[in-house]
Amino acid sequence: MTPSTPPGLGPPAPVDYRRLFRLDGRRAVVVGAGSGIGRESALALAAHGAEVVCADRDLAAAEATTRLAPGLTSYRLDVLDAEAIRLAADELGDVDVLVDSAATNVRKRLADYSDDEFDRVVDLNLRAAFRLVRAFGPGMALRGRGSIIAFTSIRSVTVEEGQGVYAATKAGLVQLLRAAAAELGPSGVRVNAIAPGVVETPLTAPIRAVPEWAAAYATKSALGRWSRPDELAGAVVYLASDASSFVTGTQLFVDGGWTAVDGRYTPPT
């Protein structure tokens, strides 16, 4: 017997692979777009046709990003302010893509950490990400589409002295995003993480200021070097676009093979 086509269903429409990564007609919000990975993510999304809102606590830095390419607007957003996040979700309208690149670190051994330092790292790396998902996720679910992307780290799976609290927030963020993927997936919203290795950003400036430390990190990945912020942008475009339409609840490592070779180094703390 020849299987019959279920009522109302026909053969799938052919895929135009030339437009697989295009984001025309989509609105993206990039948190932390004033510098580093956030800035390059915003530029890459705009280059693929998205209308991009560059959100940053430093409005001048966000405005500097908007001057680098067309299709970008700036928005002041302090993600440590819960009310500001709620207002942003209301004011920015229908958001199809949310990228969270904001993060901080205090490099100290656990015994030397103060409660205030612990709170500072947890508040930005984990609590703010939770608030962003809570604010923007429901609107995406109501519209039946959306992609939420947050940056974790190789430290979500491998740690070193002085990185305990940062690593804990990144591991926690992975599970938070997986839960969001499970909860929002039935409504057509995808949620994923990108885990960079060592990247030349303002956050890693203290490391790169110590020649021995910088050189040791450079040799601990399979590619034997640090990455640039623009080398993370392709992963952002991929996860924002239809190229990843069946990808959710995952952590994409863009680490130059660091976790593959299990690079180790004991830094000064």
Side-chain angles (χ1 to χ4, degrees):
M1 296 178 60
T2 302
S4 60
T5 301
L9 295 179
V15 176
D16 185 353
Y17 290 114
R18 296 169 300 179
R19 300 189 57 80
L20 197 58
F21 292 90
R22 293 299 304 175
L23 297 166
D24 304 277
R26 302 187 197 184
R27 184 174 179 81
V29 174
V30 179
V31 176
S35 64
I37 295 171
R39 172 172 285 179
E40 298 303 326
S41 298
L43 294 173
L45 291 169
H48 284 77
E51 174 193 348
V52 182
V53 177
C54 298
D56 203 287
R57 181 174 58 180
D58 185 344
L59 182 59
E63 290 172 340
T65 299
T66 66
R67 292 192 287 270
L68 298 175
L72 300 136
T73 58
S74 60
Y75 186 90
R76 186 185 184 281
L77 178 60
D78 182 356
V79 292
L80 295 177
D81 183 338
E83 180 62 14
I85 291 176
R86 188 192 68 77
L87 289 174
D90 290 339
E91 293 176 353
L92 294 176
D94 293 350
V95 173
D96 302 294
V97 179
L98 173 67
V99 180
D100 178 19
S101 70
T104 192
N105 192 11
V106 176
R107 293 175 178 273
K108 285 185 177 181
R109 293 172 180 267
L110 295 176
D112 298 328
Y113 244 85
S114 70
D115 285 352
D116 287 344
E117 290 167 335
F118 179 91
D119 289 343
R120 188 195 319 166
V121 177
V122 171
D123 281 350
L124 184 56
N125 295 4
L126 190 56
R127 191 188 306 275
F130 158 71
R131 288 171 172 166
L132 286 166
V133 171
R134 182 178 64 181
F136 286 89
M140 292 180 176
L142 284 174
R143 293 186 296 276
R145 67 182 189 278
S147 176
I148 297 173
I149 305 161
F151 280 90
T152 54
S153 168
I154 56 172
R155 298 305 173 202
S156 66
V157 296
T158 181
V159 75
E160 66 185 16
E161 295 175 9
Q163 292 270 46
V165 176
Y166 178 81
T169 63
K170 294 303 185 178
L173 180 55
V174 171
Q175 294 301 81
L176 180 74
L177 297 172
R178 285 175 173 164
E183 294 173 8
L184 297 173
S187 298
V189 180
R190 298 182 297 105
V191 186
N192 292 288
I194 298 173
V198 288
V199 190
E200 296 174 352
T201 68
L203 185 63
T204 60
I207 300 174
R208 289 180 285 114
V210 181
E212 178 189 5
W213 200 354
Y217 270 18
T219 61
K220 295 305 178 182
S221 71
L223 296 182
R225 62 176 178 84
W226 286 64
S227 67
R228 306 181 308 273
D230 63 277
E231 292 180 296
L232 280 297
V236 174
V237 173
Y238 166 66
L239 290 174
S241 71
D242 290 341
S244 62
S245 60
F246 203 62
V247 178
T248 195
T250 194
Q251 181 172 214
L252 173 59
F253 285 87
V254 186
D255 64 353
W258 180 293
T259 50
V261 300
D262 193 20
R264 296 175 184 270
Y265 174 59
T266 303
T269 55

